[in-house]
Amino acid sequence: MFESCYRIYKSCFPDYPVSYENFCEMLNIKKSKIFCETDEDEIVGFAIAGSCNIAVVAVEKAYRGKGIGKNLVGLCEEYIRNNGHKSVKLGVGDASLFQGVPTDNDGDSEVYKFFEKCGYKHSHLTYNMDIDTYCFEYVGLDIPKPENITYRLAGDSDKEELLKAVEQVEPDWVELYKSCDDDVLLAICDGEIAGFEMVNEYGGNFTKGENVKHGCIGCVGTVPKFRKRGIGLDMTANAVQRLRALGCDKVQLLYLVLDKWYGKLGFYITSTQWMGEKKL
Ligand SMILES: CC(C)(COP(=O)(O)OP(=O)(O)OC[C@H]1O[C@@H](n2cnc3c(N)ncnc32)[C@H](O)[C@@H]1OP(=O)(O)O)[C@@H](O)C(=O)NCCC(=O)NCCS
């Protein structure tokens, strides 16, 4: 069944290619719930729900406009309600491919209207951004240079202090940092952790083959008392420089809201997500 869902996914999301392995892993198939619509035993549409989110809904082109999508969303909502939750998020959750709804897939920039029809309310947009490392010049950047900051990768002995720093910045990230296999780059000021970010030379979702090595930077945070000194941008620039040295052609940032801020380094928007939620 999952192979059929993947086949439909590939035809419905040409702008968001993932390998079958990543598809299964990101959708957490052992824990998530799959609903399918069939025609003569062939799956023609499916939706996948996490415990309180709808990760993806897709209907084959020939079967659209017949209420199948709406029905699949309704089944996910019922499942989530029965799990004891009072609201449903689109995208992000314990099973997720996207952070919200991709707004620019297959030339359809208005798919969010489908979710509006299903009763979802828009909260904000998030962006994925790329930078091409070949035209990146760390020293030439017009950004403030923070004083008294050094950068190094975190080791096991940093774990406790790192998690405390993460907690101050974004409590939702603590679990991510606990289980993170990526390198973590630290900004250090007078022996203290002032900033942190995840850095992966083999990162980047939805990176269209192309023989391009795509690195990824995620969960960038500056501890509150160290803010407004330029640490966040400079730390990100430092990570781009490291990833370039590791042979990355591009570096991707996922699901961010500060597009103008990262734009100062030369990152440009590659895709946009519509963040929506519905009260049950
Ligand atoms: C989005 C999708 C699942 C909708 O499936 P569907 O079976 O055609 O949807 P329904 O027939 O149930 O449509 C329900 C309502 O939403 C509207 N709608 C559906 N798709 C829409 C779109 N792309 N843009 C605007 N409105 C849309 C329909 O007109 C219908 O309105 P009505 O209730 O007034 O008649 C389908 O277009 C699809 O698979 N798209 C590609 C994958 C995708 O982008 N999924 C969303 C992100 S996870």
Side-chain angles (χ1 to χ4, degrees):
M1 174 171 69
F2 220 66
E3 280 90 353
S4 303
C5 295
Y6 181 61
R7 178 183 49 78
I8 295 175
Y9 174 83
K10 282 208 298 187
S11 73
C12 289
F13 291 94
D15 296 322
Y16 291 82
V18 283
S19 67
Y20 182 63
E21 291 69 33
N22 281 352
F23 183 72
C24 297
E25 192 182 323
M26 290 161 86
L27 288 171
N28 206 351
I29 52 169
K30 294 214 174 75
K31 291 197 184 142
S32 50
K33 180 83 183 164
I34 308 176
F35 297 96
C36 294
E37 179 72 34
T38 55
D39 181 22
E40 297 190 355
D41 291 342
E42 271 286 306
I43 295 179
V44 296
F46 73 96
I48 296 185
S51 62
C52 58
N53 70 303
I54 298 178
V56 57
V57 42
V59 176
E60 277 191 4
K61 277 200 174 121
Y63 290 84
R64 290 185 193 165
K66 301 173 192 293
I68 295 176
K70 210 170 181 173
N71 186 43
L72 289 167
V73 165
L75 291 169
C76 290
E77 289 169 354
E78 195 184 321
Y79 167 76
I80 290 167
R81 190 183 296 113
N82 291 340
N83 272 342
H85 293 284
K86 298 210 159 26
S87 67
V88 183
K89 279 198 166 129
L90 296 176
V92 69
D94 47 8
S96 63
L97 276 167
F98 312 115
Q99 203 200 19
V101 176
T103 61
D104 45 9
N105 176 53
D106 205 11
D108 185 355
S109 59
E110 302 211 316
V111 69
Y112 67 89
K113 289 190 176 162
F114 162 73
F115 289 102
E116 283 182 340
K117 291 245 160 124
C118 294
Y120 286 78
K121 296 263 177 299
H122 176 54
S123 55
H124 62 286
L125 294 174
T126 66
Y127 306 97
N128 295 349
M129 299 180 91
D130 265 359
I131 196 166
D132 301 315
T133 57
Y134 70 86
C135 58
F136 177 75
E137 273 303 331
Y138 190 16
V139 283
L141 285 171
D142 186 18
I143 56 170
K145 198 77 198 133
E147 286 173 14
N148 196 21
I149 294 289
T150 52
Y151 298 105
R152 65 170 172 83
L153 294 181
D156 285 345
S157 60
D158 294 304
K159 196 96 192 180
E160 198 177 325
E161 192 193 342
L162 171 64
L163 294 179
K164 278 189 194 146
V166 174
E167 173 81 38
Q168 288 182 60
V169 171
E170 177 55 73
D172 286 351
W173 290 353
V174 172
E175 283 308 313
L176 296 176
Y177 270 92
K178 265 190 194 161
S179 59
C180 168
D181 293 327
D182 295 356
D183 282 342
V184 175
L185 183 67
L186 300 178
I188 304 290
C189 182
D190 293 332
E192 266 187 80
I193 295 179
F196 48 81
E197 63 195 352
M198 296 180 188
V199 180
N200 189 339
E201 66 173 298
Y202 301 105
N205 296 326
F206 314 123
T207 51
K208 304 178 184 142
E210 302 169 348
N211 244 344
V212 166
K213 184 170 172 186
H214 230 117
C216 189
I217 300 173
C219 299
V220 178
T222 303
V223 173
K225 74 171 182 178
F226 292 104
R227 288 187 187 166
K228 308 276 180 207
R229 298 190 200 176
I231 295 174
L233 268 190
D234 193 57
M235 180 171 65
T236 306
N238 190 288
V240 173
Q241 167 135 306
R242 282 166 189 259
L243 289 166
R244 180 167 71 173
L246 291 168
C248 293
D249 305 291
K250 288 176 190 267
V251 176
Q252 184 169 62
L253 299 165
L254 291 172
Y255 312 139
L256 54 93
V257 286
L258 301 174
D259 58 310
K260 305 235 166 11
W261 191 68
Y262 287 109
K264 291 181 188 172
L265 298 181
F267 280 93
Y268 53 88
I269 294 174
T270 54
S271 52
T272 306
Q273 289 83 218
W274 188 88
M275 306 299 291
E277 197 168 341
K278 178 176 174 178
K279 299 266 171 270
L280 292 176

